[in-house]
Amino acid sequence: MSRKRKMSQSKKPSLPRRPIIQNLTFMGTELGCPLLVQDMDSMNKRGEEPPENADVKRFISFATIPACCLHSKGTGQDAQSADESAGYAMLDFFKLYISNGFRSKLLNCASDEEVKELIPQVQPLFEQFKAAIAADFLSISRCTQFELTPAARARGKELKKRVLTNLKNAGVGYTTVTPKKTLKNDDDDVEEDVPNETVDPSDAPGSSSSDDIVIVREVASEASPKLRKMREMDGAKKKLIEEATMRLGENRRSPSLDSDTYFGECQQLLHGPTEVYCARPESNQFVQQYEEANSTEASEDEDKEAVPMKRARVDIEEDDDDVIVLNMTTSSGVSDKKGSEDEIGDIVDEWDANDEEEKTDELEELEDDDIQIIEAGDQGNGVEEVSSTVISVETPNSSSDENKIYNGHQTHQIFREVRQLPVNYQARTIGVVLNERIAGSVEKFVNSITKKSFNSVKQLSKLAWDHYLGNAQPDFVFLKKMEARQKLFSEIKKLFPDTEIKLQTTGSTVNGCGSFNSDMDLCLCFPTNGYKGQVCDDFHCDRNYSTKILRKIDKAFRRSHWSHPLKKIIKTMQLVPAKVPIVKMILNGEFDGIEVDINVNNIAGIYNSHLIHYYSLTDARLPALALLVKHWAMVTGINNAQDGFLNSYTTILLVVHYLQCGVTPAVIPNLQYLFPHKFDRKLPLNELLLFGDIADKLPTSPPNTWSLGELLIGFFQYYNEFDFTNFGFSIRSGQVIPRENLPRDLINSPIVVEEPFDAINTARTVRDVSHMKSIKSAFRCAVQIISSNKNFTMRDLGVNVTEFD
């Protein structure tokens, strides 16, 4: 016995000067791949306590390198011995593919300086792993950090083989398909034989530093002719859809709704949007910037150009040429005809107070630098005539093919810089504050993808519109739902004869972002302060109170005779006592298949549906993009509130915020800033009218001409870079909110999205950081699919679309 014990002790290796796991941790940090140590029992059993006296099992890997490519396991009586066992297993890998001497030297390192001397030996291996992952070799981006499914293991095994092969022969690379040289008909473009490029890890999506300074001038490049042509075609589709929506709105609009009196004049303040409800007053830096700018402008000479304060009037000349000229009248009432570049294209020209009394149809005729908006007629393609607006500068040498938007300047950035406008001048005109930290890199990313994969972006735009046309809620479905709502209201009203109740339609049925098969959300407005409720505060939302009312409806249905009208309308009914109690119904008869959810006194849902409805009417790209993003989010599993992810409403707010603050110029304005009296929770419910003509009431603003495909790519990149850990956002104030300005009950929320009316967090369904990381991973995977594959398709993103002819 003693001999065996002595022999075993003599074979036991000597312990290193310090734990090997400490050396691996320092090495991973220096290489930009921190070491990750996981307990296997918690990974496999999802937090269940392991049995007593069981061995500890550890699992180690390096961040940014999926575990299916590189990991090791160890077992021991305690955590320290298990970590050492896993560390030795990782060293065995280095021994085989680097050198035996590297393993011995790393074991004997007693300080960080000694480990640092060995890093050059292992650095090529990690660089090859990063390059393979950045190039998305074998679609490795589909694998999460700790995924070890059979499919993931197969991908990781093949990727590791390619990495080791590339270490010996760097010319192998990580491309498997080389596009052939083909001749295209569009603009006679030739697609040359260029292999897919290996992505530099430093340029990989989402690798931007928090200290990056975005220089807007770097992305101010003029669009190519084929890109302008694609955007014009995309704008034509947008125009057709908006005209069709307008015609439907005229049929659905209440006769008492007069858009001129309903919306009134839009508000424009000098300081831009106010602070968010939960922000400290001193936290809004933009207010201070604009106040300082205003005080500076007041002291300047009248002849010196000041930062514009109001939108320009657009006067229409009644002639056969359909030419619209922007009013260039200065504050002195005299038209400036210097012809300097600084005076070209003043979209947001400064007004004098006396201008309000002048005739709105007065026209200033300019000589050589006339700014015109030309209506493009029929293109001769057999399609219904589409009027597309293009702003141009007419000079003796200019031609119709050289029409440029932004009043003669190649890009919006150049227009802004020439006019000496602040980056966030749109905060004063349409109430949105650009997210400067991300918007510049998003535009740069979209431009690079468009140049590299133009045909894919063009097809993506087409399929995005086809997706909207094929899945949007048609008019007959809307009318059928409204008829069903009226019949339900007639029967439910009989159950509460002593109360003046209302049954309001909310959600995707009326907000413009619904699909043909979406359910109908209804809010039963049951006043708690008086007989007849008027505004939001008249309806108290209490869970027990709501459950009591809904239980009465449920009992009435179950106890009614088969011939009762309720039985003829409703096939099934179920009471769901959730945090917000609802009754779920499936209708039958003439409304067969329509699913209905009824809540009690969730009044904020009525107001935000009214708001999103009008956002959808401002630009057709919003509902089209929102519907596509919702479909993508469902496919990826992040639009599932029951499992701790986003709900559909929060997904729509993500799109709204991106179109406000993530692109320049903004696609949509801040309606709560422009029309605060019409998008306010103090407005009576009976004044929340739909289908008003809001587009004509918006202030003049530089147009965003990005195609729907470009906006979709930018959406993925924006939230791939968005720092949810340190920021939230608010569409009510049109800006990003720093975490330190949030109330205490929201500081620890993984994602913060302010509800526009009651200032709660609509993303409260995201339960913990792991769910937030899964959401970020979904955006990152979408960006990697787009950036690593030149010929990416909508199907690669997980969305199958039926293509229309």
Side-chain angles (χ1 to χ4, degrees), residues 269-337:
L269 304 177
L270 293 180
H271 57 68
T274 57
E275 299 84 355
V276 294
Y277 289 139
C278 51
R280 295 192 297 268
E282 65 273 17
S283 65
N284 196 329
Q285 301 176 357
F286 301 107
V287 175
Q288 301 173 6
Q289 292 174 1
Y290 288 124
E291 290 176 349
E292 293 173 359
N294 293 335
S295 62
T296 304
E297 292 166 5
S299 62
E300 293 180 347
D301 297 333
E302 294 182 359
D303 295 335
K304 187 175 181 180
E305 179 186 2
V307 177
M309 288 187 244
K310 294 185 180 181
R311 66 186 178 94
R313 292 198 309 269
V314 179
D315 300 327
I316 303 178
E317 183 181 8
E318 300 294 339
D319 58 13
D320 297 333
D321 296 332
D322 291 334
V323 177
I324 301 176
V325 182
L326 292 179
N327 191 335
M328 299 293 292
T329 305
T330 61
S331 58
S332 61
V334 181
S335 177
D336 189 355
K337 300 180 181 180

Side-chain angles (χ1 to χ4, degrees), residues 96-133:
L96 292 174
Y97 298 106
I98 300 178
S99 68
N100 190 19
F102 174 82
R103 178 183 184 276
S104 302
K105 292 178 182 179
L106 190 61
L107 278 172
N108 294 323
C109 289
S111 64
D112 291 344
E113 288 75 13
E114 296 180 6
V115 176
K116 196 170 185 178
E117 294 177 357
L118 300 177
I119 287 179
Q121 298 184 37
V122 73
Q123 187 171 6
L125 176 66
F126 279 77
E127 288 179 351
Q128 290 298 327
F129 269 115
K130 290 180 180 179
I133 294 168

Side-chain angles (χ1 to χ4, degrees), residues 419-576:
R419 300 299 301 158
Q420 298 181 358
L421 298 175
V423 174
N424 273 302
Y425 76 94
Q426 287 191 308
R428 295 173 11 175
T429 56
I430 58 175
V432 296
V433 180
L434 180 69
N435 188 351
E436 299 179 54
R437 185 173 296 276
I438 305 180
S441 61
V442 168
E443 185 170 355
K444 184 177 180 181
F445 177 77
V446 173
N447 289 340
S448 65
I449 296 298
T450 304
K451 291 179 181 178
K452 183 183 73 172
S453 308
F454 174 78
N455 292 328
S456 296
V457 176
K458 182 178 179 181
Q459 183 68 6
L460 188 68
S461 293
K462 181 182 183 305
L463 291 178
W465 285 116
D466 290 346
H467 177 273
Y468 177 68
L469 295 174
N471 293 276
Q473 178 179 258
D475 189 49
F476 75 91
V477 173
F478 174 81
L479 296 177
K480 184 67 69 175
K481 288 181 178 180
M482 293 300 99
E483 186 180 354
R485 184 208 68 85
Q486 186 60 40
K487 291 194 175 183
L488 285 172
F489 177 61
S490 300
E491 297 301 324
I492 294 176
K493 189 176 182 180
K494 297 176 183 177
L495 302 177
F496 307 98
D498 298 332
T499 307
E500 186 70 18
I501 65 172
K502 299 181 178 68
L503 191 63
Q504 298 276 27
T505 309
T506 65
S508 58
T509 301
V510 293
N511 65 19
C513 301
S515 61
F516 68 95
N517 58 354
S518 60
D519 58 1
M520 179 170 59
D521 297 318
L522 299 176
C523 177
L524 180 61
C525 305
F526 203 99
T528 53
N529 296 333
Y531 169 76
K532 186 176 182 179
Q534 295 288 343
V535 296
C536 184
D537 294 334
D538 293 338
F539 303 91
H540 180 59
C541 186
D542 178 74
R543 184 175 182 274
N544 294 330
Y545 184 75
S546 301
T547 304
K548 179 180 178 181
I549 295 174
L550 294 176
R551 186 173 287 114
K552 184 175 182 179
I553 298 175
D554 183 58
K555 287 182 179 180
F557 170 75
R558 298 184 184 280
R559 295 176 180 178
S560 59
H561 190 262
W562 62 268
S563 60
H564 193 275
L566 278 177
K567 291 286 187 177
K568 294 182 179 180
I569 301 174
I570 304 171
K571 182 186 297 183
T572 62
M573 179 183 294
Q574 179 186 4
L575 175 63
V576 182

Side-chain angles (χ1 to χ4, degrees), residues 24 62 113 134 239 281 489 524 591 656 786:
L24 290 174
F62 291 95
E113 288 75 13
K239 189 72 173 180
F489 177 61
L524 180 61
F591 312 114
V656 173
I786 293 171

Side-chain angles (χ1 to χ4, degrees), residues 578-591:
K579 186 174 182 180
V580 178
I582 60 172
V583 287
K584 299 182 71 69
M585 304 176 182
I586 299 179
L587 306 185
N588 61 7
E590 58 181 321
F591 312 114

Side-chain angles (χ1 to χ4, degrees), residues 15-193:
L15 293 176
R17 296 184 181 180
R18 69 173 186 175
I20 185 58
I21 203 72
Q22 188 173 349
N23 292 340
L24 290 174
T25 300
F26 177 79
M27 183 184 71
T29 303
E30 288 294 310
L31 292 170
C33 303
L35 188 71
L36 304 177
V37 182
Q38 296 287 323
D39 187 81
M40 292 185 63
D41 290 326
S42 61
M43 291 174 60
N44 298 332
K45 300 182 180 181
R46 298 181 181 179
E48 296 180 6
E49 292 294 332
E52 296 182 1
N53 301 324
D55 289 340
V56 178
K57 299 178 181 179
R58 288 301 181 105
F59 177 97
I60 65 174
S61 62
F62 291 95
T64 72
I65 301 178
C68 61
C69 301
L70 180 60
H71 75 274
S72 64
K73 302 176 183 178
T75 305
Q77 295 180 353
D78 53 26
Q80 183 178 0
S81 60
D83 290 344
E84 289 297 297
S85 177
Y88 275 102
M90 184 64 71
L91 287 181
D92 290 338
F93 171 78
F94 293 146
K95 173 184 176 181
L96 292 174
Y97 298 106
I98 300 178
S99 68
N100 190 19
F102 174 82
R103 178 183 184 276
S104 302
K105 292 178 182 179
L106 190 61
L107 278 172
N108 294 323
C109 289
S111 64
D112 291 344
E113 288 75 13
E114 296 180 6
V115 176
K116 196 170 185 178
E117 294 177 357
L118 300 177
I119 287 179
Q121 298 184 37
V122 73
Q123 187 171 6
L125 176 66
F126 279 77
E127 288 179 351
Q128 290 298 327
F129 269 115
K130 290 180 180 179
I133 294 168
D136 200 19
F137 181 70
L138 295 176
S139 300
I140 195 65
S141 62
R142 299 182 183 180
C143 304
T144 59
Q145 178 66 44
F146 300 109
E147 183 179 355
L148 291 175
T149 60
R153 287 177 181 271
R155 286 195 182 96
K157 184 178 180 180
E158 293 300 321
L159 184 142
K160 184 160 58 176
K161 286 183 180 180
R162 179 58 66 92
V163 164
L164 300 175
T165 302
N166 210 53
L167 281 173
K168 301 177 182 179
N169 183 8
V172 175
Y174 301 102
T175 57
T176 56
V177 179
T178 301
K180 296 182 179 180
K181 184 175 181 180
T182 56
L183 183 64
K184 301 295 182 183
N185 293 328
D186 294 341
D187 299 327
D188 295 331
D189 295 326
V190 177
E191 191 173 299
E192 298 181 359
D193 186 6

